[in-house]
mmCIF file of all heavy atoms in Angstrom:
data_model
loop_
_atom_site.group_PDB
_atom_site.id
_atom_site.type_symbol
_atom_site.label_atom_id
_atom_site.label_comp_id
_atom_site.label_asym_id
_atom_site.label_seq_id
_atom_site.Cartn_x
_atom_site.Cartn_y
_atom_site.Cartn_z
ATOM 1 N N ASP A 23 -30.944 -16.436 16.404
ATOM 2 C CA ASP A 23 -31.760 -17.654 16.321
ATOM 3 C C ASP A 23 -31.842 -18.378 17.662
ATOM 4 O O ASP A 23 -32.836 -19.035 17.954
ATOM 5 C CB ASP A 23 -31.206 -18.615 15.264
ATOM 6 C CG ASP A 23 -31.624 -18.231 13.856
ATOM 7 O OD1 ASP A 23 -32.493 -17.357 13.695
ATOM 8 O OD2 ASP A 23 -31.070 -18.822 12.899
ATOM 9 N N LEU A 24 -30.807 -18.287 18.456
ATOM 10 C CA LEU A 24 -30.777 -18.926 19.768
ATOM 11 C C LEU A 24 -30.272 -17.921 20.798
ATOM 12 O O LEU A 24 -29.762 -16.865 20.444
ATOM 13 C CB LEU A 24 -29.859 -20.147 19.755
ATOM 14 C CG LEU A 24 -30.277 -21.306 18.852
ATOM 15 C CD1 LEU A 24 -29.174 -22.346 18.783
ATOM 16 C CD2 LEU A 24 -31.562 -21.936 19.346
ATOM 17 N N GLY A 25 -30.408 -18.274 22.061
ATOM 18 C CA GLY A 25 -29.923 -17.381 23.105
ATOM 19 C C GLY A 25 -29.933 -18.051 24.455
ATOM 20 O O GLY A 25 -30.343 -19.195 24.595
ATOM 21 N N GLY A 26 -29.498 -17.311 25.437
ATOM 22 C CA GLY A 26 -29.409 -17.843 26.790
ATOM 23 C C GLY A 26 -30.010 -16.888 27.791
ATOM 24 O O GLY A 26 -30.982 -16.198 27.510
ATOM 25 N N CYS A 27 -29.393 -16.822 28.946
ATOM 26 C CA CYS A 27 -29.907 -15.999 30.038
ATOM 27 C C CYS A 27 -28.739 -15.547 30.910
ATOM 28 O O CYS A 27 -27.796 -16.305 31.131
ATOM 29 C CB CYS A 27 -30.882 -16.827 30.856
ATOM 30 S SG CYS A 27 -31.435 -16.049 32.365
ATOM 31 N N ASN A 28 -28.817 -14.336 31.393
ATOM 32 C CA ASN A 28 -27.839 -13.833 32.355
ATOM 33 C C ASN A 28 -28.359 -14.112 33.758
ATOM 34 O O ASN A 28 -29.421 -13.625 34.131
ATOM 35 C CB ASN A 28 -27.622 -12.327 32.181
ATOM 36 C CG ASN A 28 -26.897 -11.995 30.904
ATOM 37 O OD1 ASN A 28 -26.027 -12.735 30.471
ATOM 38 N ND2 ASN A 28 -27.265 -10.893 30.285
ATOM 39 N N GLY A 29 -27.622 -14.891 34.517
ATOM 40 C CA GLY A 29 -28.006 -15.162 35.903
ATOM 41 C C GLY A 29 -29.023 -16.277 36.041
ATOM 42 O O GLY A 29 -29.197 -17.112 35.161
ATOM 43 N N ASP A 30 -29.715 -16.267 37.164
ATOM 44 C CA ASP A 30 -30.712 -17.270 37.512
ATOM 45 C C ASP A 30 -31.895 -17.207 36.541
ATOM 46 O O ASP A 30 -32.394 -16.125 36.233
ATOM 47 C CB ASP A 30 -31.182 -17.005 38.949
ATOM 48 C CG ASP A 30 -32.171 -18.035 39.439
ATOM 49 O OD1 ASP A 30 -32.146 -19.174 38.945
ATOM 50 O OD2 ASP A 30 -32.981 -17.703 40.326
ATOM 51 N N PRO A 31 -32.363 -18.372 36.054
ATOM 52 C CA PRO A 31 -33.461 -18.352 35.092
ATOM 53 C C PRO A 31 -34.808 -17.881 35.652
ATOM 54 O O PRO A 31 -35.667 -17.436 34.892
ATOM 55 C CB PRO A 31 -33.566 -19.798 34.616
ATOM 56 C CG PRO A 31 -32.703 -20.611 35.469
ATOM 57 C CD PRO A 31 -31.818 -19.704 36.248
ATOM 58 N N GLU A 32 -34.992 -17.944 36.972
ATOM 59 C CA GLU A 32 -36.287 -17.552 37.543
ATOM 60 C C GLU A 32 -36.558 -16.067 37.293
ATOM 61 O O GLU A 32 -35.746 -15.204 37.608
ATOM 62 C CB GLU A 32 -36.323 -17.843 39.042
ATOM 63 C CG GLU A 32 -37.719 -17.669 39.610
ATOM 64 C CD GLU A 32 -37.870 -18.257 40.991
ATOM 65 O OE1 GLU A 32 -37.052 -19.120 41.360
ATOM 66 O OE2 GLU A 32 -38.797 -17.848 41.680
ATOM 67 N N ASN A 33 -37.700 -15.782 36.695
ATOM 68 C CA ASN A 33 -38.155 -14.427 36.343
ATOM 69 C C ASN A 33 -37.229 -13.702 35.363
ATOM 70 O O ASN A 33 -37.300 -12.486 35.230
ATOM 71 C CB ASN A 33 -38.351 -13.556 37.585
ATOM 72 C CG ASN A 33 -39.426 -14.083 38.497
ATOM 73 O OD1 ASN A 33 -40.423 -14.635 38.043
ATOM 74 N ND2 ASN A 33 -39.219 -13.949 39.788
ATOM 75 N N ALA A 34 -36.371 -14.437 34.676
ATOM 76 C CA ALA A 34 -35.404 -13.809 33.772
ATOM 77 C C ALA A 34 -36.086 -13.116 32.601
ATOM 78 O O ALA A 34 -35.666 -12.036 32.187
ATOM 79 C CB ALA A 34 -34.412 -14.844 33.256
ATOM 80 N N TRP A 35 -37.141 -13.739 32.043
ATOM 81 C CA TRP A 35 -37.838 -13.119 30.912
ATOM 82 C C TRP A 35 -38.472 -11.803 31.353
ATOM 83 O O TRP A 35 -38.314 -10.771 30.700
ATOM 84 C CB TRP A 35 -38.902 -14.067 30.362
ATOM 85 C CG TRP A 35 -39.779 -13.412 29.341
ATOM 86 C CD1 TRP A 35 -41.076 -13.010 29.504
ATOM 87 C CD2 TRP A 35 -39.428 -13.050 28.003
ATOM 88 N NE1 TRP A 35 -41.554 -12.434 28.361
ATOM 89 C CE2 TRP A 35 -40.559 -12.436 27.413
ATOM 90 C CE3 TRP A 35 -38.272 -13.173 27.240
ATOM 91 C CZ2 TRP A 35 -40.567 -11.964 26.110
ATOM 92 C CZ3 TRP A 35 -38.286 -12.702 25.948
ATOM 93 C CH2 TRP A 35 -39.423 -12.104 25.395
ATOM 94 N N GLU A 36 -39.159 -11.829 32.467
ATOM 95 C CA GLU A 36 -39.824 -10.633 32.965
ATOM 96 C C GLU A 36 -38.836 -9.525 33.321
ATOM 97 O O GLU A 36 -39.146 -8.348 33.193
ATOM 98 C CB GLU A 36 -40.679 -10.968 34.204
ATOM 99 C CG GLU A 36 -41.843 -11.902 33.939
ATOM 100 C CD GLU A 36 -41.466 -13.383 33.912
ATOM 101 O OE1 GLU A 36 -40.271 -13.711 34.078
ATOM 102 O OE2 GLU A 36 -42.357 -14.209 33.717
ATOM 103 N N GLU A 37 -37.664 -9.911 33.767
ATOM 104 C CA GLU A 37 -36.647 -8.936 34.171
ATOM 105 C C GLU A 37 -35.716 -8.547 33.025
ATOM 106 O O GLU A 37 -34.766 -7.795 33.230
ATOM 107 C CB GLU A 37 -35.830 -9.508 35.340
ATOM 108 C CG GLU A 37 -36.674 -9.714 36.592
ATOM 109 C CD GLU A 37 -35.942 -10.478 37.680
ATOM 110 O OE1 GLU A 37 -34.729 -10.767 37.510
ATOM 111 O OE2 GLU A 37 -36.574 -10.804 38.704
ATOM 112 N N GLY A 38 -35.986 -9.054 31.832
ATOM 113 C CA GLY A 38 -35.196 -8.678 30.660
ATOM 114 C C GLY A 38 -33.782 -9.221 30.647
ATOM 115 O O GLY A 38 -32.881 -8.597 30.102
ATOM 116 N N ARG A 39 -33.578 -10.410 31.228
ATOM 117 C CA ARG A 39 -32.229 -10.973 31.285
ATOM 118 C C ARG A 39 -31.976 -12.061 30.252
ATOM 119 O O ARG A 39 -30.936 -12.677 30.237
ATOM 120 C CB ARG A 39 -31.941 -11.499 32.694
ATOM 121 C CG ARG A 39 -31.839 -10.386 33.726
ATOM 122 C CD ARG A 39 -31.408 -10.888 35.093
ATOM 123 N NE ARG A 39 -32.519 -11.568 35.761
ATOM 124 C CZ ARG A 39 -32.541 -12.869 36.055
ATOM 125 N NH1 ARG A 39 -31.525 -13.637 35.758
ATOM 126 N NH2 ARG A 39 -33.587 -13.406 36.660
ATOM 127 N N TRP A 40 -32.965 -12.320 29.374
ATOM 128 C CA TRP A 40 -32.717 -13.265 28.291
ATOM 129 C C TRP A 40 -31.797 -12.595 27.289
ATOM 130 O O TRP A 40 -31.886 -11.401 27.038
ATOM 131 C CB TRP A 40 -34.026 -13.653 27.617
ATOM 132 C CG TRP A 40 -34.724 -14.813 28.271
ATOM 133 C CD1 TRP A 40 -34.548 -15.251 29.550
ATOM 134 C CD2 TRP A 40 -35.714 -15.650 27.695
ATOM 135 N NE1 TRP A 40 -35.375 -16.309 29.808
ATOM 136 C CE2 TRP A 40 -36.113 -16.574 28.671
ATOM 137 C CE3 TRP A 40 -36.309 -15.705 26.458
ATOM 138 C CZ2 TRP A 40 -37.062 -17.554 28.436
ATOM 139 C CZ3 TRP A 40 -37.265 -16.676 26.235
ATOM 140 C CH2 TRP A 40 -37.631 -17.594 27.209
ATOM 141 N N THR A 41 -30.914 -13.381 26.691
ATOM 142 C CA THR A 41 -29.976 -12.849 25.705
ATOM 143 C C THR A 41 -30.170 -13.558 24.368
ATOM 144 O O THR A 41 -30.702 -14.665 24.313
ATOM 145 C CB THR A 41 -28.522 -13.056 26.159
ATOM 146 O OG1 THR A 41 -28.275 -14.465 26.277
ATOM 147 C CG2 THR A 41 -28.246 -12.376 27.477
ATOM 148 N N SER A 42 -29.741 -12.906 23.313
ATOM 149 C CA SER A 42 -29.688 -13.523 21.987
ATOM 150 C C SER A 42 -28.227 -13.722 21.637
ATOM 151 O O SER A 42 -27.413 -12.841 21.864
ATOM 152 C CB SER A 42 -30.337 -12.615 20.943
ATOM 153 O OG SER A 42 -31.717 -12.526 21.166
ATOM 154 N N TRP A 43 -27.924 -14.889 21.072
ATOM 155 C CA TRP A 43 -26.548 -15.171 20.700
ATOM 156 C C TRP A 43 -26.274 -14.731 19.278
ATOM 157 O O TRP A 43 -27.078 -14.975 18.372
ATOM 158 C CB TRP A 43 -26.247 -16.658 20.824
ATOM 159 C CG TRP A 43 -26.300 -17.194 22.213
ATOM 160 C CD1 TRP A 43 -26.058 -16.514 23.370
ATOM 161 C CD2 TRP A 43 -26.612 -18.527 22.609
ATOM 162 N NE1 TRP A 43 -26.190 -17.346 24.453
ATOM 163 C CE2 TRP A 43 -26.531 -18.583 24.013
ATOM 164 C CE3 TRP A 43 -26.940 -19.675 21.921
ATOM 165 C CZ2 TRP A 43 -26.771 -19.755 24.725
ATOM 166 C CZ3 TRP A 43 -27.186 -20.838 22.626
ATOM 167 C CH2 TRP A 43 -27.094 -20.872 24.014
ATOM 168 N N SER A 44 -25.136 -14.123 19.067
ATOM 169 C CA SER A 44 -24.691 -13.791 17.714
ATOM 170 C C SER A 44 -24.004 -15.027 17.138
ATOM 171 O O SER A 44 -23.722 -15.999 17.854
ATOM 172 C CB SER A 44 -23.717 -12.618 17.745
ATOM 173 O OG SER A 44 -22.497 -13.015 18.342
ATOM 174 N N VAL A 45 -23.717 -14.993 15.858
ATOM 175 C CA VAL A 45 -22.987 -16.081 15.213
ATOM 176 C C VAL A 45 -21.618 -16.258 15.880
ATOM 177 O O VAL A 45 -21.164 -17.391 16.088
ATOM 178 C CB VAL A 45 -22.854 -15.799 13.699
ATOM 179 C CG1 VAL A 45 -21.864 -16.729 13.043
ATOM 180 C CG2 VAL A 45 -24.213 -15.922 13.030
ATOM 181 N N ASP A 46 -20.985 -15.157 16.246
ATOM 182 C CA ASP A 46 -19.692 -15.242 16.933
ATOM 183 C C ASP A 46 -19.829 -15.926 18.289
ATOM 184 O O ASP A 46 -18.971 -16.723 18.680
ATOM 185 C CB ASP A 46 -19.080 -13.854 17.112
ATOM 186 C CG ASP A 46 -18.698 -13.205 15.790
ATOM 187 O OD1 ASP A 46 -18.436 -13.945 14.812
ATOM 188 O OD2 ASP A 46 -18.667 -11.968 15.732
ATOM 189 N N ASP A 47 -20.911 -15.617 19.024
ATOM 190 C CA ASP A 47 -21.170 -16.274 20.313
ATOM 191 C C ASP A 47 -21.362 -17.777 20.125
ATOM 192 O O ASP A 47 -20.820 -18.591 20.884
ATOM 193 C CB ASP A 47 -22.414 -15.700 20.991
ATOM 194 C CG ASP A 47 -22.279 -14.252 21.386
ATOM 195 O OD1 ASP A 47 -21.140 -13.792 21.613
ATOM 196 O OD2 ASP A 47 -23.328 -13.564 21.468
ATOM 197 N N ILE A 48 -22.161 -18.142 19.108
ATOM 198 C CA ILE A 48 -22.429 -19.559 18.835
ATOM 199 C C ILE A 48 -21.129 -20.277 18.489
ATOM 200 O O ILE A 48 -20.860 -21.376 19.004
ATOM 201 C CB ILE A 48 -23.473 -19.708 17.705
ATOM 202 C CG1 ILE A 48 -24.849 -19.196 18.182
ATOM 203 C CG2 ILE A 48 -23.582 -21.157 17.242
ATOM 204 C CD1 ILE A 48 -25.890 -19.085 17.081
#
């Protein structure tokens, strides 16, 4: 349902660095 990003946010979506959080992560 939610997520973050690995590293710098610039171009993160295009570079596939967005993450999804699991319930355990949350």
Side-chain angles (χ1 to χ4, degrees):
D23 279 349
L24 296 172
C27 172
N28 290 325
D30 183 26
E32 190 166 340
N33 297 325
W35 172 254
E36 295 82 359
E37 295 171 5
R39 292 186 285 114
W40 273 21
T41 62
S42 292
W43 295 332
S44 69
V45 168
D46 294 334
D47 295 334
I48 293 170

